[in-house]
Amino acid sequence: MNDNDYGMLIKYIHDSIEKHANNDLRKKEITIMQLRFLRALYEKSDYTYSYKELEKHFNVAQSTIAGIAKRLEKKKFVNTFMDDSDKRVKFIRLTSSGVELCIETLENIRETEELLTSRLTKEEKKLLKDLLRKVYEAVK
């Protein structure tokens, strides 16, 4: 690897994180995308999003949202329901099992982040976070 190859270094880090996450999530029979979906719901005060809001949040088609929702509903992590006043609007809400899963995985994420930064000082951690934000802002 070339020291000037920032993109590849970022990709290697991402791939390693994803590999560890997939190994942990396989035990729970969910995918990273499903976990991202659950986490988005978890971060809402009422644990609820409309399909349309999720389409925008993840920048994917409604059919993708519907597929993920269907698989998660089968696993009892979410419930879907229609708007009482407009049957064209569909919502998805996190169940108590979904909340429990999010709490468990948040701990795993904290552990992974600790591993990622375990060789850095407090100042280096702050600098890394600031620099990563700047890099992200440049490419988004």
Side-chain angles (χ1 to χ4, degrees):
M1 175 176 39
N2 185 334
D3 286 334
N4 293 324
D5 227 351
Y6 301 114
M8 286 307 293
L9 187 54
I10 291 168
K11 181 178 179 352
Y12 293 148
I13 294 167
H14 173 270
D15 290 350
S16 181
I17 292 168
E18 192 170 83
K19 179 181 169 189
H20 288 283
N22 278 327
N23 287 336
D24 288 339
L25 295 175
R26 194 171 294 117
K27 299 168 197 161
K28 297 172 183 5
E29 298 182 357
I30 64 168
T31 65
I32 288 177
M33 186 58 189
Q34 290 170 348
L35 179 60
R36 288 181 183 139
F37 195 93
L38 293 170
R39 289 278 314 278
L41 292 167
Y42 181 74
E43 291 170 0
K44 287 273 291 214
S45 61
D46 61 355
Y47 301 144
T48 305
Y49 263 109
S50 71
Y51 275 43
K52 186 59 89 180
E53 289 172 316
L54 285 169
E55 283 177 58
K56 289 178 184 171
H57 182 82
F58 289 106
N59 195 28
V60 296
Q62 184 169 352
S63 59
T64 302
I65 297 300
I68 293 169
K70 184 177 179 180
R71 287 185 286 284
L72 290 172
E73 191 165 31
K74 223 182 241 187
K75 297 173 186 180
K76 308 218 183 295
F77 292 131
V78 299
N79 290 321
T80 58
F81 59 96
M82 305 298 247
D83 185 321
D84 291 335
S85 61
D86 186 348
K87 298 296 181 196
R88 297 171 298 172
V89 179
K90 196 166 185 180
F91 290 95
I92 184 164
R93 178 177 295 135
L94 204 55
T95 63
S96 58
S97 296
V99 170
E100 286 176 32
L101 180 66
C102 286
I103 291 168
E104 282 176 41
T105 58
L106 281 170
E107 182 56 34
N108 291 345
I109 290 167
R110 276 190 273 283
E111 289 170 7
T112 299
E113 289 197 351
E114 182 58 38
L115 176 65
L116 281 171
T117 59
S118 63
R119 296 183 181 184
L120 302 178
T121 65
K122 186 177 179 179
E123 293 79 22
E124 289 171 330
K125 289 177 185 181
K126 182 185 178 334
L127 178 60
L128 176 62
K129 192 175 278 188
D130 291 344
L131 292 172
L132 288 172
R133 280 190 183 117
K134 282 184 177 183
V135 170
Y136 176 67
E137 288 297 318
V139 297
K140 76 174 188 175

